[in-house]
Amino acid sequence: EKPAGMNVFTFPRGAQAGIFLHSLFEELDFSAARPEAVNSLVGKGLERYGYAREWEPCITSLVNNVIATPLSSPEGPFALTDLKQGCWLAELEFFFPLKFVSAPILRECLRRWSGTHVAMDIPALCQGLKFRPAEGMVRGFIDMVFEHKGRFYLLDWKSNHLGYRIEDYGSEALKAAMVQHLYPLQYLLYTVALNRYLGLRVKI
């Protein structure tokens, strides 16, 4: 059952809600994400997208929780609030040429090179891939790329609704949603794009 009240689980769903939440993180200055700055950003966003101002405490809490969540790294945990000004790019656009590819060719490539991916069984995921042979240019946008202590990370914002309880967002539920929407393949595509981008701009 849908719970009562205004909280992260009851916020309106749909494409516009996703675009609204995405815009908050696109515009946020992570290096200066003080409470008053987050409150102001959320308030303006709610007004721009036509949501009631009463949602402000809920969405502000959501943003603060996201940017304060510890992220693991070999150098130790960090949060997005630790990022320095100028070390991230939002909506990084990319293009790269795609030679002739078909579903069987892609499946075989991933089978050979995916290795023992700990988060997802990539070859199993690709068994159901079916698409017409394609070639041309690949174009897309990575939501965010950032650097922290000499390492580069890519980030993609997701706001999928999986249920009305915190328990509905456990690791197995998240993994199932990722498989359903083929997010691991999106991640691999973004990794190729980021690798090419850094190869042109970062001297080794």
Side-chain angles (χ1 to χ4, degrees):
E1 290 186 23
K2 183 177 180 179
M6 305 178 85
N7 56 63
V8 67
F9 300 115
T10 59
F11 186 71
R13 295 150 58 183
Q16 178 173 291
I19 294 172
F20 160 62
L21 295 173
H22 183 285
S23 72
L24 296 177
F25 294 107
E26 182 180 347
E27 298 171 20
L28 181 63
D29 182 350
F30 297 94
S31 65
R34 291 178 288 274
E36 59 272 19
V38 175
N39 288 342
S40 176
L41 179 67
V42 170
K44 292 177 181 177
L46 290 169
E47 182 177 357
R48 185 190 318 145
Y49 285 89
Y51 294 109
R53 195 64 181 250
E54 286 76 14
W55 285 108
E56 186 173 320
C58 166
I59 302 302
T60 297
S61 176
L62 181 152
V63 172
N64 286 328
N65 287 338
V66 169
I67 63 179
T69 296
L71 306 173
S72 62
S73 78
E75 292 75 31
F78 69 97
L80 294 177
T81 51
D82 296 321
L83 299 183
K84 298 178 180 179
Q85 181 65 47
C87 76
W88 72 86
L89 292 173
E91 292 296 308
L92 177 62
E93 185 177 13
F94 63 85
F95 294 86
F96 60 80
L98 179 69
K99 294 182 179 180
F100 179 84
V101 65
S102 64
I105 290 174
L106 181 58
R107 284 198 297 266
E108 176 60 18
C109 177
L110 293 174
R111 184 192 67 79
R112 291 175 57 192
W113 298 107
S114 62
T116 55
H117 195 280
V118 296
M120 200 72 59
D121 187 342
I122 299 294
L125 175 66
C126 293
Q127 289 306 308
L129 280 181
K130 294 180 181 179
F131 58 86
R132 295 179 179 178
E135 59 183 330
M137 296 293 295
V138 176
R139 176 176 183 253
F141 296 85
I142 303 176
D143 286 351
M144 181 174 168
V145 170
F146 63 90
E147 178 271 333
H148 181 70
K149 293 188 176 180
R151 295 181 184 272
F152 291 88
Y153 300 81
L154 63 85
L155 188 155
D156 194 69
W157 305 111
K158 301 297 184 188
S159 56
N160 303 50
H161 180 86
L162 305 182
Y164 293 107
R165 305 173 304 151
I166 190 66
E167 293 81 6
D168 296 327
Y169 296 81
S171 58
E172 290 303 314
L174 294 178
K175 183 175 180 180
M178 291 176 67
V179 170
Q180 178 184 357
H181 296 285
L182 299 179
Y183 289 153
L185 296 185
Q186 180 186 22
Y187 151 73
L188 292 176
L189 181 64
Y190 284 2
T191 300
V192 171
L194 179 57
N195 183 63
R196 287 173 175 260
Y197 177 83
L198 296 176
L200 294 172
R201 290 165 174 79
V202 178
K203 294 182 179 181
I204 300 178

